Amino acid sequence: MTNHHQSTRGEPRVALVTCAELPALEADDRLVLDPLARRGVTAEPVVWDDPTADWAGYDLAVLRSPWDYMPRRDEFVAWATVVPALANPADVVRWNTDKRYLAELSAAGVPTVPTTWVEPGESWQPPADSGEYVLKPSISAGSQDTGRYDLADPEHRELAVAHVRRLAAAGRVTMVQPYLAAVDTAGETALLFLAGPDGLAYSHAIRKGPMLTGPDLGVEGLYKPEEITPRTATPEQLAVADRALAAVPGGPERLLYARVDLIPGPDGASILVELELTEPSLFLGYAEGAADRLAGAILTHLGRPPR
């Protein structure tokens, strides 16, 4: 492993934080390297739990793809608190890596997916109705340990109960949510926001196709592959995103990036599915200029003019 040292050339040094399974970053994240280099910023991937990494040697550490932390979330949050300059900040990481933040956003008036939380040790039976439901742990990413269940099917009901028991046995909180059928037609819209001179600003949006086809059968790798296409955000979607971001503890002004995931609800109005502030895919390759905008956002956080 390589030791990292403070630059003596006066150029800012930035760590793009990843995991051991992606030591060179995802291809999409690598798109920001050239725009940063053109701006005089030296950036390199660094594995978050590399014991030889010298985080004090970087002017900024930007969380990108540390996607193996879910089974070690407490360790990851503790690590975040000791990194001298982290984006997004450690307290945001702590808050955002447990999806129980959705309850706080709902209480603040943000339209969110109705969610029941099942704590370890609590008994749970599927709802009496025959709709479709999604079950997943409150600490998860990449559709890991996530399943879709049709409660009109007796076998699915049994599998749903087994899913909750499996998570509870591992000490994990289960989220129970109605399946939003509009995802099968409209898909999910992810709105990407990046820091600018005047704070967080909308950059671009993409459409994700439906991913959950049935009960949880496990996911190979760090995440389930996604079907991504560019999309133009509507004023209504932007308004919901602004409401969600305004409710972030400490305010959105200190964020380097944010991703707001929306799906139409039964009445067609946008509902927040997730607010990704820790390590979201930013889909830089799906929007012209997005990699340059991220480079500018990083310069803003370095206290330099975004050029």
Side-chain angles (χ1 to χ4, degrees):
M1 294 183 180
T2 304
N3 278 301
H4 310 286
H5 302 286
Q6 179 69 46
S7 171
T8 58
R9 299 189 303 273
E11 294 182 347
R13 297 186 70 234
V14 172
L16 300 176
V17 181
T18 184
C19 63
E21 290 187 53
L22 296 167
L25 300 169
E26 280 270 277
D28 191 72
D29 284 324
R30 288 197 293 272
L31 295 176
V32 78
L33 293 174
D34 284 346
L36 284 172
R38 292 197 302 270
R39 291 163 171 81
V41 177
T42 299
E44 59 190 4
V46 186
V47 174
W48 75 270
D49 57 352
D50 178 355
T52 71
D54 175 19
W55 299 105
Y58 294 97
D59 299 285
L60 184 67
V62 179
L63 289 163
R64 289 312 319 125
S65 48
W67 294 331
D68 63 351
Y69 76 81
M70 285 74 188
R72 299 180 287 156
R73 185 251 182 175
D74 289 347
E75 179 186 343
F76 181 68
V77 170
W79 163 83
T81 63
V82 300
V83 177
L86 185 67
N88 284 325
D91 64 299
V92 172
V93 170
R94 180 185 297 277
W95 180 76
N96 190 240
T97 49
D98 188 327
K99 292 182 177 62
R100 281 179 284 191
Y101 70 78
L102 288 170
E104 293 184 36
L105 295 181
S106 178
V110 179
T112 60
V113 184
T115 305
T116 300
W117 310 89
V118 185
E119 301 281 343
E122 290 184 346
S123 61
W124 179 80
Q125 288 298 318
D129 64 43
S130 58
E132 289 190 285
Y133 283 80
V134 173
L135 304 182
K136 58 185 174 182
S138 67
I139 299 171
S140 67
S143 296
Q144 294 273 6
D145 301 304
T146 300
R148 171 182 170 184
Y149 299 89
D150 180 356
L151 298 186
D153 182 332
E155 182 181 0
H156 275 224
R157 295 181 76 86
E158 290 182 11
L159 289 171
V161 171
H163 189 160
V164 174
R165 285 178 180 163
R166 185 168 66 251
L167 293 178
R172 305 173 78 182
V173 175
T174 302
M175 305 168 61
V176 183
Q177 299 174 322
Y179 183 74
L180 299 178
V183 74
D184 294 328
T185 51
E188 181 176 325
T189 302
L191 287 74
L192 286 305
F193 293 79
L194 299 171
D198 301 317
L200 210 58
Y202 171 70
S203 170
H204 59 287
I206 56 93
R207 176 193 185 272
K208 286 198 268 184
M211 297 176 60
L212 297 179
T213 56
D216 174 34
L217 300 176
V219 173
E220 292 187 10
L222 292 171
Y223 55 85
K224 184 179 286 190
E226 299 173 319
E227 175 194 321
I228 307 297
T229 51
R231 170 166 273 180
T232 300
T234 67
E236 185 260 356
Q237 290 170 332
L238 287 166
V240 173
D242 286 343
R243 288 174 64 185
L245 292 169
V248 173
E253 297 80 12
R254 59 203 184 108
L255 301 177
L256 174 64
Y257 51 67
R259 198 182 86 201
V260 184
D261 296 343
L262 305 174
I263 295 176
D267 63 354
S270 292
I271 294 179
L272 179 73
V273 182
E274 288 190 21
L275 177 59
E276 297 269 12
L277 307 179
T278 302
E279 26 61 33
S281 294
L282 297 176
F283 307 112
L284 302 175
Y286 292 87
E288 185 176 354
D292 280 294
R293 289 191 290 277
L294 177 58
I298 290 172
L299 256 69
T300 295
H301 270 245
L302 288 168
R304 304 197 174 203
R307 46 193 170 86

